[in-house]
């Protein structure tokens, strides 16, 4: 269900009727601030037998609101039903019962009650707002927006209606209107944390992570125990590439709400980005335990299995992700990559074909199929696929890198160099692209440009030692020592990369025997989903050796 504001029952479900007209009614019966006191006060007046007819109905409405504020749904709806029986014209009772039905997921009965409330009182903004929530839950954002707008027209200071309309605009992809509504909601009620969260989400959708973080931080200041605020701020930090801050926020979200599957998923993704794959897989496992229908959790766990070299487990997870969310083209492409790593090229091509059929603009699927065609020796079809990927996204480093690989394997070193250089230009912060550009440059007898390109790389973390190796600033032994990592999956990957690039450097120095030994080691020991595994096999073929 949507995170619109009426879900905060203490504020909108507890819609009471002012009872000053009833002399015997205590003050606390028409206030939602203290549900326990309201229940006691309303009950005393009800059992006193002094209230009759519509006044008794008003008391029952208010007690029903108080019961629901305490989470006692059965007593709440019983009081509301009785209030409506006693006074069929009591609009607020229909509104409150509609909110109860909406909370139960019965949107049709909710809308029917809201319709009746509006028919009885066309100037009741709460009923329009709540009917908007019900329409929003059915996916009818246009009707929802119309109802929220009606509520705002009736009450221009109705902050929650602005926020709820902002949510509906956001769901329609109209982020600018959403931000405008959230901003107005905040202006009207600057103490409401949910409005800051929703505006933060909208800023996040616009990739404005700094403003998103600022809004989530304000929500946390207002409501320090709101787990979703920490989770969403963690997402924004992750999108900025600040995985350490992201993990800290996910930790707090999980501490506050250990059942929050998305926080485990987010933390798992952040751990993966830090090469902490074992911790990532533990988080993905927990995310799946908490929410077995999370396609994203299966897909990301599949990525971790692929990184580990467990292709069968990766294929199984991608398959479950596809079953849960058949529209997930990326899961199809990833499963194709797992089949390709396993050596099942025909199934890989079938998955890529299906991904491309569903999304003809999928660069990942086109590049993956290009690799599969290349492994079948169908060079022209491989080039055709990556050419199409480049036409679709001229800034894709993935597509240029793949085409460079194909050209290099075909002996077209000059064309390979041009593509590797373009890939490196498109993504200057990726070490491997800088290395491939340097390798191709050396094969074209060109001077190294690593001194210039290294200025755009983070030279403090892996795989920076590989760049230093190619710049003669370190030794192969030191590189292998630097490849060590507390995470066994990451360590295996680092050693794989180290051996491959040490082998490439040996090849440029005409140390063919050393290069062959290292490429064979990579081909035998590295996870088959690694570019280095595939590249080592290609190099061995060029060297006249069977992989």
């Amino acid at each position: 269900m949507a995170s619109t504001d009426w879900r905060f029952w203490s504020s909108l479900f507890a819609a009471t009727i002012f009872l000053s007209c009833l002399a015997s009614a205590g003050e606390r019966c028409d206030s939602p601030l203290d549900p326990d006191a309201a229940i006691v006060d309303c009950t005393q007046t009800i059992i006193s037998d002094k209230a009759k007819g519509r006044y008794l109905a008003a008391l029952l409405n208010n007690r029903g609101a108080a019961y629901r504020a305490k989470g006692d749904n059965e007593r709440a709806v019983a009081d509301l039903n009785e209030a409506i029986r006693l006074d069929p014209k009591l609009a607020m009772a229909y509104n409150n019962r509609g909110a109860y039905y909406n909370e139960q997921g019965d949107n049709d009965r909710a809308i029917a009650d809201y319709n009746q409330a509006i028919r009885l009182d066309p100037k009741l903004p709460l009923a329009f707002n709540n009917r908007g929530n019900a329409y929003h839950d059915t996916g009818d954002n246009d009707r929802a927006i119309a109802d929220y707008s009606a509520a705002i027209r009736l009450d221009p200071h109705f902050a929650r209606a602005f926020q709820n309309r902002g949510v509906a605009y956001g769901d329609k992809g109209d982020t600018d209107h959403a931000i405008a509504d959230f901003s107005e909601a905040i202006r009207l009620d600057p103490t409401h944390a949910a409005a800051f969260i929703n505006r933060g989400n909208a800023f996040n959708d616009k990739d404005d992570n700094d403003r998103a973080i600022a809004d989530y931080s304000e929500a946390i200041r207002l409501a320090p125990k709101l787990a979703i605020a920490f989770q969403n701020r963690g997402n924004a930090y992750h999108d900025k590439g600040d995985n350490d801050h992201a993990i800290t926020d996910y930790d707090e979200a999980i501490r506050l709400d250990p059942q929050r599957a998305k926080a485990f998923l987010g933390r798992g993704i952040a751990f993966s980005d830090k090469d902490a794959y074992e911790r990532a897989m533990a988080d993905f496992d927990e995310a799946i335990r908490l929410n077995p229908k999370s396609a994203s959790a299966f897909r990301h766990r599949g990525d971790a299995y692929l990184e580990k070299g467990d292709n069968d487990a990766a294929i199984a997870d991608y398959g479950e992700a596809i079953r849960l969310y058949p529209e997930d083209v990326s899961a199809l492409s990833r499963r194709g990559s797992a089949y390709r790593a396993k050596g099942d090229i025909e199934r890989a091509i079938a998955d890529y074909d299906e991904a491309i059929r569903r999304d003809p603009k999928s660069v990942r699927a086109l590049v993956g199929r290009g690799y599969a065609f290349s492994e079948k020796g169908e060079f022209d079809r491989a080039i055709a696929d990556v050419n199409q990927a480049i036409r679709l996204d001229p800034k894709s480093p993935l597509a240029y890198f793949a085409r460079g690989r194909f050209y290099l394997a075909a002996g077209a070193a000059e064309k390979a160099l041009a593509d590797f250089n373009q890939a490196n230009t498109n993504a200057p912060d990726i070490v491997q692209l800088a290395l491939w550009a340097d390798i191709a440059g050396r094969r074209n007898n060109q001077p190294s440009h690593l001194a210039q390109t290294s200025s755009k790389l983070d030279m403090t973390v892996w795989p920076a030692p590989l760049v230093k190796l190619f710049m003669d600033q370190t030794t192969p032994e030191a590189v292998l020592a630097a490849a060590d990592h507390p995470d066994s999956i990451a360590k295996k990957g680092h050693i794989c990369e180290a051996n491959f690039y040490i082998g490439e450097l040996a090849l440029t120095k005409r140390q063919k025997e050393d290069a062959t030994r290292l490429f064979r080691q990579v081909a035998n020991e590295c996870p088959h989903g690694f570019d280095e595994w595939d590249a080592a096999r290609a190099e061995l073929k060029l060297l006249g050796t069977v992989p």
Side-chain angles (χ1 to χ4, degrees), residues 28-197:
R28 291 175 297 181
C29 187
D30 55 20
S31 171
L33 299 178
D34 187 345
D36 288 317
I39 289 168
V40 170
D41 203 51
C42 290
T43 300
Q44 287 177 346
T45 308
I46 290 167
I47 64 176
S48 71
D49 207 31
K50 295 179 180 179
K52 305 290 183 182
R54 64 190 183 92
Y55 299 114
L56 178 57
L59 288 165
L60 288 164
N61 172 81
N62 289 4
R63 189 173 70 174
Y67 275 133
R68 185 56 192 85
K70 285 176 61 65
D72 191 340
N73 291 324
E74 290 186 10
R75 287 182 174 177
V77 75
D79 272 357
L80 294 170
N81 286 337
E82 182 63 10
I84 290 168
R85 188 189 70 78
L86 290 169
D87 185 0
K89 295 183 179 181
L90 186 57
M92 190 63 76
Y94 283 103
N95 172 81
N96 287 354
R97 192 175 68 177
Y100 162 79
Y101 285 137
N102 209 169
E103 167 69 4
Q104 303 306 306
D106 192 345
N107 292 307
D108 291 336
R109 293 176 78 178
I111 290 169
D113 269 356
Y114 295 139
N115 287 343
Q116 183 67 357
I118 290 167
R119 188 185 69 78
L120 292 167
D121 186 355
K123 295 184 178 180
L124 185 62
L126 189 59
F128 282 101
N129 175 78
N130 284 2
R131 189 173 70 178
N133 290 330
Y135 280 131
H136 177 264
D137 277 358
T138 67
D140 192 342
N141 288 305
D142 290 327
R143 281 188 172 180
I145 289 168
D147 271 352
Y148 296 139
S149 297
I152 291 165
R153 197 164 48 248
L154 290 167
D155 181 1
H157 298 286
F158 196 173
R160 307 303 171 83
F162 278 103
Q163 179 184 260
N164 291 347
R165 190 173 69 176
V167 171
Y169 275 129
D171 286 352
K172 281 173 64 73
D174 190 346
T175 309
D176 290 332
H177 271 105
I179 290 172
D181 272 352
F182 295 142
S183 296
E184 181 63 10
I186 289 166
R187 187 189 70 80
L188 291 167
D189 182 4
T191 67
H192 190 52
F196 284 99
I197 290 173

Side-chain angles (χ1 to χ4, degrees), residues 327-349:
E327 294 79 14
D328 188 358
V329 172
S330 67
L332 268 170
S333 296
R334 285 170 159 84
R335 190 173 68 178
S337 298
Y339 276 128
R340 183 166 62 86
K342 193 179 177 183
D344 193 341
I345 303 302
E346 296 306 325
R347 281 191 176 180
I349 291 173

Side-chain angles (χ1 to χ4, degrees), residues 404 407-408 411-421 436-449 508:
Y407 280 136
L408 198 64
E414 189 173 346
K415 287 184 176 180
L417 174 60
D419 276 347
F420 290 140
N421 280 335
W436 276 98
D438 190 75
I439 291 165
R442 293 179 189 228
R443 294 190 188 183
N444 281 275
N445 298 314
Q446 292 192 9
S448 174
H449 296 287
T508 65

Side-chain angles (χ1 to χ4, degrees), residues 187-210:
R187 187 189 70 80
L188 291 167
D189 182 4
T191 67
H192 190 52
F196 284 99
I197 290 173
N198 283 329
R199 191 173 69 177
N201 295 342
F203 281 133
N204 194 251
D205 287 343
K206 289 173 72 74
D207 295 324
D208 191 343
N209 295 309
D210 290 329

Side-chain angles (χ1 to χ4, degrees), residues 17 29 61 70 92 128 216 222 348-349 403 485 517 540:
I17 299 170
C29 187
N61 172 81
K70 285 176 61 65
M92 190 63 76
F128 282 101
Y216 297 140
L222 292 167
I349 291 173
R403 193 170 69 178
H485 195 282
R517 174 180 56 80
L540 287 170

